Amino acid sequence: MRALKYAAAASLLVVAPLASAQQLSIATGGTGGVYYPIGGGFAEIINDHLEGYEASAEVTGASVENMGLIMRGDADLALVLADTAQQAYEGSGDFEGRQIENTRALASVYPNAVQLVVLADSDIESLADLKGKRVSVGAPGSGTELNARALLESNGITYDDITPQRLNFNETADAIRDGDIDAGFWSVGPPTSSILNLAATRDIRLIGLSDEEIANAQEQEPVFAAYQLKAGMYDGMEEPVQTISIPNVLVVNADMDEELAYNLTKVLFERIDDLIAVHPAANDTTIEFTMGSTPVPLHPGAIRYYEEVDAEIPDKLRP
């Protein structure tokens, strides 16, 4: 019996530190996008290098849903498109009447590129050719849908002109492959696994945007920026493709403990090579990108870190 008591006591000593660790939830997106591996990679960094915390990446409907999770305290951190974060902070667009003033950022992590994909033998050659077609505009509550709708509407195309399908990344790839839809939008850091997998099984094309279409989109959504998808990014992609991009922001609630926000920001940048090893999109996770791309105020804990490394912090990023 005495041996059993000692064994039990020893087991308690082993599990006690784990039980006392504070759990952190990172809201990401679908498994076919970039949010999930980036969020999972950051969770691993936290688990390995931030004592007293255990983090996990959660599959979600992405940006719009993630802001709701942050507002309700159902997630501690979230990856969100810049336009979604801005709308939530201002109470505009999809967040009219439900403003989330407590939105704060730790960093901007990488730009999403809007990628419009069709099969190689499709008769769709431009944005205007989507009229009358079956088009996936992204999962409900996702930043992809916000971006797709803004891009379409700013160029004179409404949902009445197409047959919209609200599918996540993997579902969109499957539907294009099977001929169930004619085209699909992704707003995600390139290259993304679901398009890579689709291109490995079907010949695909990416539809480029004209200068005028980009200008129209920027007039409606100032966070849009011109972006060029590199040749060879996907199988069969022989030429670069011009599109638009949107920064992705790592957001938290303003109520987050300042010390925790500081440590999260610090470990993100100090271990950025670990994140790049998970996904190449993290090559754009720099302090300079954060200062130039973040649309909402930074958390005071994050500001403390940026001041320590002598970053030039724009006034608009101070709460």
Side-chain angles (χ1 to χ4, degrees), residues 12-262:
L12 285 173
L13 286 172
V14 171
V15 301
L18 294 176
S20 63
Q22 183 176 332
Q23 304 295 315
L24 296 175
S25 170
I26 305 175
T28 64
T31 56
V34 176
Y35 278 8
Y36 187 69
I38 289 285
F42 190 38
E44 215 170 298
I45 290 170
I46 292 168
N47 295 340
D48 291 344
H49 301 286
L50 204 56
E51 190 175 348
Y53 292 93
E54 283 189 354
S56 59
E58 309 296 339
V59 175
T60 71
S63 296
V64 177
E65 180 182 332
N66 289 356
M67 284 307 315
L69 294 171
I70 290 293
M71 176 187 68
R72 296 189 299 273
D74 292 332
D76 301 289
L77 305 95
L79 288 160
V80 177
L81 281 165
D83 53 349
T84 307
Q86 187 172 42
Q87 287 180 13
Y89 180 67
E90 295 174 346
S92 60
D94 274 19
F95 292 87
E96 191 169 344
R98 52 190 186 114
Q99 184 178 11
I100 308 174
E101 292 179 89
N102 275 358
T103 303
R104 296 292 183 270
L106 298 185
S108 286
V109 286
Y110 67 93
N112 265 17
V114 173
Q115 298 163 73
L116 177 56
V117 179
V118 300
L119 291 178
D121 59 1
S122 169
D123 61 354
I124 297 171
E125 300 288 344
S126 68
L127 202 63
D129 292 337
L130 293 178
K131 290 184 177 181
K133 304 294 187 181
R134 301 162 298 173
V135 183
S136 172
V137 294
S142 70
T144 292
E145 183 173 12
L146 280 181
N147 296 159
R149 189 168 61 201
L151 176 60
L152 290 169
E153 290 180 353
S154 63
N155 284 285
I157 303 170
T158 71
Y159 278 8
D160 290 337
D161 298 316
I162 63 174
T163 303
Q165 304 291 312
R166 291 178 172 86
L167 307 175
N168 66 30
F169 292 150
N170 286 330
E171 291 168 342
T172 298
D174 289 344
I176 291 174
R177 185 192 64 226
D178 297 340
D180 294 331
I181 61 174
D182 302 298
F185 280 100
W186 277 256
S187 183
V188 64
T192 186
S193 61
S194 45
I195 301 179
L196 286 167
N197 293 337
L198 174 62
T201 58
R202 291 285 188 276
D203 292 335
I204 65 167
R205 281 188 294 110
L206 277 83
I207 303 300
L209 302 177
S210 68
D211 291 342
E212 183 182 358
E213 287 166 343
I214 290 173
N216 291 340
Q218 287 175 315
E219 191 172 334
Q220 181 160 326
E221 289 290 351
V223 297
F224 286 149
Y227 186 88
Q228 191 171 80
L229 298 163
K230 296 176 183 176
M233 182 170 288
Y234 300 110
D235 285 350
M237 188 176 161
E238 297 178 358
E239 301 289 336
V241 173
Q242 181 173 252
T243 184
I244 52 175
S245 68
I246 312 95
N248 288 288
V249 189
L250 184 61
V251 300
V252 299
N253 194 294
D255 294 336
M256 175 177 274
D257 176 72
E258 183 176 324
E259 188 70 15
L260 174 57
Y262 166 80

Side-chain angles (χ1 to χ4, degrees), residues 295-317:
V296 298
L298 294 165
H299 191 285
I303 288 175
R304 190 173 121 208
Y305 170 74
Y306 293 127
E307 288 177 338
E308 278 186 7
V309 296
D310 296 325
E312 291 188 20
I313 306 170
D315 289 342
K316 69 175 185 177
L317 296 187

